[in-house]
Amino acid sequence: MTEIEISTERIKLRLIELSDLNSIHKLHSLPETDEFNALGIPQNIEETKSLIEPWIAENKLDKIKNYTFAIENRMDKEFIGLFGLKLGNAKYKRGEVWYKIHSDYWKKGYATESLKAVINFGFENLKLHRIEAGCAVENIGSFKVLEKAGMIREGRLRQVLPLKSGWSDNFEYSILETDERKNN
């Protein structure tokens, strides 16, 4: 298995493992973390297991194209959330990020810290040219995270996210390897 860790002062991002199943299931089962997520709340832990098994398998490949990280607190090793980086066609040197943070850790800077670390990993280690992200237009917390990390809002996709509340528009963001990065 590929050993990849991204560390900052407060957090460590490491590739998920089956031992993370219970923490991931709890995260996916929270109504507040599901509000702007098209995944839906799992019926049971087996559904969560079937969701993450392909992520774990992908993380074991020699050449990973879809990274799924567990975010954990470096002090107490508590599970904070998930962070993903999906690579596109190698020719375009592009990746897309997503994150899902346990609500106990909202508004404490963990999502922004994780995003900045993954942006640096994408540009410095993977030699990407562009990193993209999207979020529901009503998801104020998420687009604040994207902007704090230096991502630029490029546009709006109309009714692209099938949420419980109905079809939602999505803000599209990106950052280029040549853009100024906000590392503090």
Side-chain angles (χ1 to χ4, degrees), residues 25-35 37-44 47-48 100 164:
H25 182 68
K26 287 176 190 168
L27 175 69
H28 285 320
S29 298
L30 294 171
E32 57 271 31
T33 62
D34 185 58
E35 183 180 0
N37 192 299
L39 193 60
I41 294 177
Q43 297 289 320
N44 52 48
E47 187 178 330
T48 303
K100 194 170 196 178
K164 278 188 211 155

Side-chain angles (χ1 to χ4, degrees), residues 8-182:
T8 69
E9 187 177 321
R10 298 188 305 159
I11 59 170
K12 176 172 81 172
L13 291 96
R14 57 165 177 76
L15 296 174
I16 64 165
E17 301 166 351
L18 196 54
S19 60
D20 296 311
L21 176 60
N22 287 329
S23 297
I24 294 170
H25 182 68
K26 287 176 190 168
L27 175 69
H28 285 320
S29 298
L30 294 171
E32 57 271 31
T33 62
D34 185 58
E35 183 180 0
F36 298 112
N37 192 299
L39 193 60
I41 294 177
Q43 297 289 320
N44 52 48
I45 199 160
E46 288 305 313
E47 187 178 330
T48 303
K49 185 178 179 187
S50 67
L51 173 73
I52 71 168
E53 282 177 332
W55 297 352
I56 294 167
E58 175 75 26
N59 283 344
K60 292 179 180 177
L61 297 176
D62 289 334
K63 191 163 175 107
I64 300 171
K65 293 206 179 230
N66 191 3
Y67 295 83
T68 308
F69 295 101
I71 307 165
E72 63 181 38
N73 187 316
R74 286 184 62 189
M75 296 294 282
D76 57 15
K77 298 199 183 321
E78 282 292 314
F79 179 86
I80 294 172
L82 292 172
F83 205 104
L85 172 61
K86 183 176 184 178
L87 304 181
N89 183 316
K91 178 180 180 178
Y92 298 100
K93 299 172 78 172
R94 190 163 55 205
E96 181 179 4
V97 293
W98 61 268
Y99 45 86
K100 194 170 196 178
I101 307 296
H102 192 289
S103 55
D104 289 350
Y105 296 94
W106 287 1
K107 298 182 180 180
K108 296 180 180 170
Y110 289 108
T112 304
E113 191 171 330
S114 299
L115 178 55
K116 288 177 180 179
V118 172
I119 287 171
N120 287 335
F121 173 74
F123 290 140
E124 293 166 14
N125 297 71
L126 303 178
K127 306 301 181 203
L128 297 177
H129 170 67
R130 175 184 170 90
I131 297 175
E132 303 168 341
C135 71
V137 297
E138 301 285 324
N139 193 347
I140 296 165
S142 193
F143 70 69
K144 282 185 176 179
V145 166
L146 298 170
E147 291 170 1
K148 283 180 192 170
M151 297 189 86
I152 297 167
R153 186 183 302 176
E154 295 183 322
R156 180 177 184 141
L157 296 177
R158 298 182 316 135
Q159 295 191 10
V160 70
L161 289 175
L163 303 179
K164 278 188 211 155
S165 57
W167 287 99
S168 172
D169 290 4
N170 198 53
F171 285 137
E172 294 294 309
Y173 283 83
S174 77
I175 187 168
L176 305 177
E177 64 181 326
T178 52
D179 289 341
E180 181 180 340
R181 284 186 246 161
K182 298 180 178 179

